[in-house]
């Protein structure tokens, strides 16, 4: 089921991009907006750093679609985590100040836990499907997103509901 969801998102994204690239009057790469997010967190017993560059294409004045890469490193007590992958996202602004978003993220998780005398390792793929709402001002959007596929035992995120900040230029 998860693979079908991913294939569906990729197909929709390709159709949108192909439809836009067939218009000879527009400059595709001239309209692409680049940005993403940087994150860093410190807490009792650990820290987390995240880098997520992305690019979106404004299909209409209200709707944009794009892709993102995601790199995440965290340490919690004796546990180390490296996550990397990508996502496809769609953004809809019914009015300029409100942004609705949907994002499918697929991450490869590499976990290691130092348990004397051995180090335990766990490597797996983790999907996430986020629905979000945010407030936009200029090139910045602040909001909340919710992971519909959240798995408390495997997720790298502490909660299914999380804040976000997006910046695009």
């Amino acid at each position: 089921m998860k693979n079908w969801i991913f294939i569906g998102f990729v197909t929709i994204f390709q159709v949108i991009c192909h439809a836009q690239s067939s218009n000879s009057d527009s400059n595709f790469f001239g309209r692409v907006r680049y940005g993403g997010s940087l994150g860093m967190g410190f807490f009792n017993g650990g820290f987390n750093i995240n880098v997520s560059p992305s690019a979106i294409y404004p299909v209409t004045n209200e709707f944009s679609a794009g892709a993102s890469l995601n790199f995440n490193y965290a340490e919690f007590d004796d546990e180390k985590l490296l996550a990397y992958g990508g996502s496809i996202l769609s953004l809809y602004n019914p009015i300029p100040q409100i942004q609705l978003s949907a994002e499918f993220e697929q991450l490869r998780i590499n976990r290691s836990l130092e348990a004397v005398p051995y180090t335990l390792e766990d490597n797996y793929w983790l999907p996430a499907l986020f629905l979000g709402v945010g407030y936009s001002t200029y090139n910045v959007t602040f909001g909340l997103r919710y992971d519909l596929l959240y798995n408390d035992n495997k997720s790298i995120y502490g909660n299914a509901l999380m804040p976000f900040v997006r910046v695009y230029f």
Side-chain angles (χ1 to χ4, degrees), residues 55-129:
I56 59 170
Y57 182 82
V59 178
T60 67
N61 287 338
E62 296 83 20
F63 179 75
S64 299
S68 178
L69 296 175
N70 190 319
F71 305 96
N72 194 319
Y73 179 79
E75 287 187 14
F76 311 96
D77 296 324
D78 294 332
E79 184 177 6
K80 293 181 183 175
L81 178 139
L82 174 66
Y84 55 90
S87 65
I88 54 175
L89 64 143
S90 59
L91 308 173
Y92 178 69
N93 292 77
I95 60 173
Q97 296 82 13
I98 301 297
Q99 184 180 88
L100 305 175
S101 62
E103 179 178 4
F104 180 75
E105 178 180 77
Q106 184 74 35
L107 295 178
R108 179 66 177 175
I109 310 296
N110 298 318
R111 282 187 168 169
S112 64
L113 177 63
E114 293 182 24
V116 177
Y118 304 104
T119 299
L120 305 173
E121 294 188 9
D122 192 15
N123 301 311
Y124 55 92
W125 286 98
L126 180 71
L129 179 59

